[in-house]
Amino acid sequence: MDKRILSTGAILGMIAIILGAFGAHALKKVLSIEQLSTFETGVRYQMYHALFLLFFGLMKYIPQKTKKVIYFLVLFGVILFSGSIYLLATNDLTSFDFKIIGFVTPIGGLLLILGWGVLLMNIMNKKSQN
């Protein structure tokens, strides 16, 4: 599980850099300042959670079952949260109206919060070894 978590963190980080550069260069010419700012929010949260997965994947005292739960909460949270933000920010560039999927953004955000919450609960319930 640790290798999967670390690999996913690296992949999400790499994609965040690619999308950030794409937004800063290609999309800068076709999106409004507000749309570009929205797109950058998706990139920023994706990168935060890529780093979270890298950090979290190196933790040895979290049980594998708990790691699996947190991993899937964060992975699907990023996909729903950042993914929907990317689509909504670039909505004007396609003929499909992505506003109908706007409801998944807060669901993704909730999954991210739950991932952090499960980690916090696990840390707080961990018996001190000092």
Side-chain angles (χ1 to χ4, degrees), residues 1-19:
M1 190 78 224
D2 291 340
K3 185 175 180 180
R4 177 187 287 181
I5 293 168
L6 294 170
S7 298
T8 303
I11 291 167
L12 287 177
M14 182 175 62
I15 293 170
I17 292 169
I18 292 167
L19 289 174

Side-chain angles (χ1 to χ4, degrees), residues 12-68:
L12 287 177
M14 182 175 62
I15 293 170
I17 292 169
I18 292 167
L19 289 174
F22 179 67
H25 299 288
L27 293 179
K28 183 178 181 180
K29 300 170 186 167
V30 294
L31 295 182
S32 70
I33 292 172
E34 183 180 326
Q35 291 169 317
L36 196 55
S37 176
T38 299
F39 189 87
E40 289 171 353
T41 297
V43 171
R44 192 170 44 252
Y45 275 80
Q46 181 173 330
M47 182 57 82
Y48 292 157
H49 289 88
L51 295 172
F52 172 82
L53 288 174
L54 292 173
F55 167 75
F56 167 69
L58 295 173
M59 295 177 142
K60 297 298 181 197
Y61 60 88
I62 305 290
Q64 288 299 311
K65 187 175 180 180
T66 303
K67 279 190 170 188
K68 190 173 187 177

